[in-house]
Amino acid sequence: MDADEIALLAETAEHVFAGDDPERMVAELAEAGIGDPVADPAVAAALLGTQGRVVGRSTLLDLALAGDDHAGGVRVVLPLPGTWRPPGSRDGGAIDVDGIVLIPEKATRYLVHTGSHVVPVAPEALHGGPVEGFDPGLGAHRVIGTLPSGAAAERAWHRVVGTGRRAIAHELAGAGQRALDLAIEYVGTRHQFGRPIAAAQAVRHRLVDAHVGLEAARAALDAIPADPGGELGALTVKALAGRAALAAVAAAQQLCGAMGFTAEHPLHAVVRRAYLLDSLFGCAEDLEPEIGALLAARGARSAPLVAL
Amino acid sequence: MSSVADRHGGVLRAWLEERREALDPFRRPCGIEDDRRLMRILFDAGWSRWGWPEQAGGLGGSAVLRAVLYDELAAAGVRIPEPFVLLETLGPVLTRYAPELAGRHLTDYLSGERLWGQGFSEAEAGSDLASVRTRARQDGDGFVLNGHKLWTTLGQFARWAAVLARTGALDSGHRGLSLLWVDLTAPGVTVRPIRAANGRDEFAEMYFDDVRVPAGHLIGGVDEGWAVAMYLLQFERGTYAWLRQAVLHHRIGTIAATAPEGAGRTRLASLGRAHLAATALRAKSRGTVHRLAAGLNPGPLISVDKLLLSRAEHAVFDAARRLRWADLALSDDEEAAALRAEWFCSRASSIFGGAAEVQRDIVADHVLALPKGDRRGR
């Protein structure tokens, strides 16, 4: 896609996310002939980056994670926030399930991964239900239950984790940018001590640091090719985007002052979303030692992820 | 990467592999004489001449080929000679603003014969370059230079220096500066090394006392030094960052390979952060390298690269400190000493080439376009 088509896609996405049908974006993509929302970084930024920026919700992640198993109404059960173990675990002849579903409405089938396999189940087969938690706007359901070991297809969990990390990294970059935009707008319009808050060097430098982190995350998302088997690449973009987004929301929470602490100001929704996204498939803080351990295990054999 | 650069990298990789043993001396910490020897080898084989214009004695081709050289040397574990750092700042300036000087001097530098120094900083003109006080008075067919320059990398080994001097009135600010090509063996020049915090002579100071500089040694026009310096800085903050990321990636490999068995998660996290910072720098820098090679000026955006470079330098050598502390604290062997020296240099990466605080001001003003208000917030 050329730059104009990407811009149009981002515009369409923003319009769709403003509506209240979380399945519509995937339907629009099917019409446009786009089957994978994360393979092309520019497409992913236009779709998932925009979703993060407007704090939207859609079944884009289900489309990316289900791959060939995708169909209308299919939802992939995600690991509990902060973890990346498969939500299904085999216990003798049965499968214990504990995970979350981001878009439970209109779901007809849940896909439960066990690490080596995926098991399709009817939503009614699991109990649990809506949880507000840290980010009520997410509208997620916690799903818990025990399934008989039924028809299962072989699906490697690490591919789901890799794709999920890449997709959510794009969304985090968008959420972080929104927080930064809100902060820049606020400090530019509010005056204290006879000048805009933005004139203070301490304020300016904090915003610049947030910007630099987001630029780094976007550059990495753009430059590191999507490779479902490449664990390090997905870890890298997710950790960079998570750190950058959290740094941006922390800066925004400080610099938007009391206004940013109100329910009326849009910042809190971005803050909630950023922390929740960072925790899906592992928080940046937990991924850093994972990366270190992976590199130490490889020794000196790691070539740079980014080609010239 | 373009297929040309890709092929170039492949041939270079094979060449380096064939000479694996011959290049072994350059895999250990090196001094300036080793650097010169390696520069001679790379020059004779032609590798360091690619990416420089043929009129200047290069072999032509895109400047991306220089980025390929740094990348492949680092990947092969071969030390990138320190003088290449300066080449990436003064080289592009000479070829663009003083092609005749470039034709006369570039090959001498590439072969390691005669090195150069960059005479920009002064005691009260560091990041604030427009406050330069070194004077160049026009006199007959040339200039007479008086003043004092500080923090000149490799200055004590240099035969020539590019000196930023005031040709305008004392209060002319950035409008009254000119860049001169100065013979450091000329009467009136004194060069003294400066001992750095790591115990090594990392830089030098230069005194100019009525030094005569011929008119032909002007780089750019009279009073056009600011534009030349700004042109230089995009390479100092651009291609130099690429060169450093190549080194940093190699260091990460070494740290990973020598990480102690059973290192805990907080220490492994420092290695993870080093990888993240170096990868972010490389991802950002590759776009800049391609833009610079295409003749595009990144302008104030380059300050983002410079800030990412500082972050990466700090993160990588902090990881080295955390994971190699037993050696760093107590070993006196050559490798530990070199690592200690590098750790100290990494602290300075957020100072030279424009301090990180100044880069943040540039990004705040020109990239984020934050309002300044009535009073300056600094």
Side-chain angles (χ1 to χ4, degrees):
Chain A
M1 280 199 197
D2 65 26
D4 288 345
E5 289 170 311
I6 291 292
L8 187 63
L9 186 63
E11 207 177 296
T12 307
E14 184 157 357
H15 176 70
V16 170
F17 294 136
D20 58 0
D21 179 2
E23 290 189 305
R24 205 181 124 204
M25 193 66 240
V26 169
E28 296 266 344
L29 288 189
E31 238 167 76
I34 299 172
D36 185 340
V38 289
D40 178 342
V43 170
L47 295 172
L48 289 149
T50 301
Q51 178 166 307
R53 195 163 53 76
V54 303
V55 200
R57 54 197 295 273
S58 76
T59 52
L60 280 173
L61 189 62
D62 297 293
L63 173 64
L65 297 185
D68 293 343
D69 299 326
H70 187 265
V74 161
R75 307 287 185 265
V76 176
V77 179
L78 302 185
L80 294 177
T83 74
W84 57 92
R85 285 185 305 278
S89 50
R90 288 185 183 277
D91 182 14
I95 296 167
D96 289 332
V97 183
D98 190 1
I100 59 169
V101 171
L102 295 185
I103 312 288
E105 54 266 48
K106 294 193 201 161
T108 55
R109 195 163 10 125
Y110 288 171
L111 299 183
V112 177
H113 281 264
T114 64
S116 54
H117 290 75
V118 67
V119 185
V121 300
E124 312 80 70
L126 296 168
H127 57 91
V131 278
E132 293 214 333
F134 196 82
D135 182 9
L138 201 60
H141 277 198
R142 173 125 184 215
V143 294
I144 300 171
T146 303
L147 305 170
S149 187
E154 277 191 32
R155 295 285 184 275
W157 173 242
H158 73 91
R159 297 177 75 89
V160 176
V161 174
T163 304
R165 282 177 175 157
R166 180 172 289 278
I168 291 162
H170 279 286
E171 205 171 341
L172 277 163
Q177 187 59 48
R178 176 73 182 287
L180 181 60
D181 291 344
L182 287 170
I184 288 173
E185 186 192 350
Y186 181 81
V187 300
T189 48
R190 281 273 165 142
H191 285 65
Q192 295 283 302
F193 305 107
R195 59 181 185 176
I197 296 171
Q201 197 178 38
V203 170
R204 301 160 77 81
H205 285 192
R206 188 143 189 205
L207 293 169
V208 169
D209 284 342
H211 170 75
V212 169
L214 289 167
E215 278 286 291
R218 283 189 289 256
L221 277 165
D222 191 49
I224 298 172
D227 169 12
E231 188 184 6
L232 186 58
L235 277 166
T236 301
V237 293
K238 178 70 164 52
L240 282 171
R243 278 285 184 198
L246 296 195
V249 299
Q253 279 184 297
Q254 174 64 24
L255 300 179
C256 290
M259 198 62 217
F261 186 53
T262 63
E264 173 196 343
H265 194 274
L267 179 62
H268 72 93
V270 185
V271 173
R272 292 170 185 282
R273 185 57 49 88
Y275 275 92
L276 220 294
L277 292 172
D278 176 55
S279 74
L280 293 179
F281 295 105
C283 308
E285 201 171 344
D286 291 330
L287 299 187
E288 286 165 357
E290 287 295 313
I291 294 168
L294 189 68
L295 293 176
R298 285 187 187 179
R301 282 170 295 124
S302 297
L305 286 169
V306 175
L308 174 62
Chain B
M1 177 156 55
S2 73
S3 59
V4 175
D6 220 354
R7 267 201 309 280
H8 189 78
V11 180
L12 173 54
R13 211 169 311 139
W15 185 86
L16 288 165
E17 184 56 39
E18 277 166 31
R19 282 155 191 80
R20 173 157 280 282
E21 275 179 37
L23 292 171
D24 257 348
F26 308 108
R27 287 191 170 83
R28 290 191 290 276
C30 298
I32 189 71
E33 289 313 314
D34 299 297
D35 278 349
R36 287 181 192 266
R37 270 192 286 279
L38 180 54
M39 288 170 84
R40 181 87 238 175
I41 293 171
L42 294 172
F43 180 82
D44 289 344
W47 293 115
S48 61
R49 297 172 67 193
W50 290 104
W52 293 106
E54 289 170 55
Q55 305 89 293
L59 296 176
S62 159
V64 171
L65 300 183
R66 308 201 306 256
V68 172
L69 174 63
Y70 309 140
D71 228 21
E72 294 299 335
L73 285 177
V78 174
R79 182 189 152 99
I80 299 173
E82 208 185 341
F84 277 124
V85 166
L86 206 68
L87 189 65
E88 279 306 335
T89 62
L90 286 179
V93 161
L94 277 193
T95 52
R96 159 123 188 215
Y97 288 98
E100 200 194 312
L101 289 174
R104 247 186 291 156
H105 299 290
L106 185 71
T107 52
D108 276 355
Y109 193 98
L110 288 171
S111 62
E113 299 259 323
R114 292 191 181 83
L115 303 182
W116 313 332
Q118 182 185 330
F120 276 29
S121 291
E122 298 176 7
E124 295 193 358
S127 295
D128 177 14
L129 205 52
S131 296
V132 156
R133 283 194 288 202
T134 293
R135 299 264 312 154
R137 181 167 45 86
Q138 294 199 43
D139 181 67
D141 196 23
F143 301 87
V144 176
L145 189 65
N146 279 285
H148 177 215
K149 291 288 176 180
L150 270 175
W151 322 131
T152 302
T153 302
L154 299 172
Q156 67 272 38
F157 307 112
R159 174 69 169 71
W160 298 94
V163 176
L164 193 63
R166 187 158 302 286
T167 36
L170 279 176
D171 61 354
S172 57
H174 67 270
R175 291 179 308 277
L177 297 171
S178 304
L179 192 62
L180 296 174
W181 185 247
V182 179
D183 181 349
L184 294 181
T185 62
V189 177
T190 312
V191 180
R192 280 211 301 254
I194 302 175
R195 182 61 48 98
N198 60 9
R200 300 182 180 210
D201 294 340
E202 294 284 355
F203 30 44
E205 58 186 330
M206 304 185 286
Y207 293 87
F208 304 105
D209 184 13
D210 283 337
V211 177
R212 295 205 64 87
V213 180
H217 282 197
L218 191 60
I219 305 167
V222 173
D223 291 346
E224 285 172 12
W226 185 256
V228 180
M230 290 304 105
Y231 182 76
L232 178 147
L233 283 179
Q234 53 182 341
F235 292 93
E236 177 159 358
R237 293 167 188 167
T239 332
Y240 169 69
W242 177 266
L243 184 157
R244 284 303 303 172
Q245 68 74 30
V247 175
L248 294 175
H249 272 87
H250 179 257
R251 295 293 184 279
I252 289 171
T254 309
I255 300 165
T258 55
E261 285 282 323
R265 289 183 70 76
T266 56
R267 285 204 284 169
L268 289 172
S270 72
L271 178 56
R273 282 193 292 275
H275 160 83
L276 292 171
T279 303
L281 170 63
R282 186 174 166 96
K284 185 78 185 146
S285 183
R286 73 158 189 170
T288 304
V289 164
H290 285 292
R291 272 191 290 281
L292 285 171
L296 300 172
N297 185 345
L301 295 173
I302 202 80
S303 292
V304 172
D305 299 46
K306 172 77 175 136
L307 286 165
L308 288 173
L309 172 61
S310 302
R311 281 190 188 188
E313 294 271 7
H314 283 237
V316 170
F317 289 99
D318 277 334
R321 176 179 56 79
R322 293 285 280 130
L323 285 153
R324 302 283 305 279
W325 184 241
D327 291 340
L328 218 59
L330 286 176
S331 168
D332 289 328
D333 74 19
E334 192 187 34
E335 205 211 330
L339 192 56
R340 269 196 293 277
E342 278 195 299
W343 182 85
F344 267 100
C345 287
S346 72
R347 303 301 103 170
S349 69
S350 43
I351 302 166
F352 57 70
E357 288 73 12
V358 177
Q359 305 306 316
R360 290 190 182 97
D361 284 342
I362 293 169
V363 176
D365 285 345
H366 302 292
V367 181
L368 299 185
L370 297 175
K372 291 174 190 164
D374 303 331
R375 286 186 293 163
R376 299 280 283 179
R378 52 194 73 164

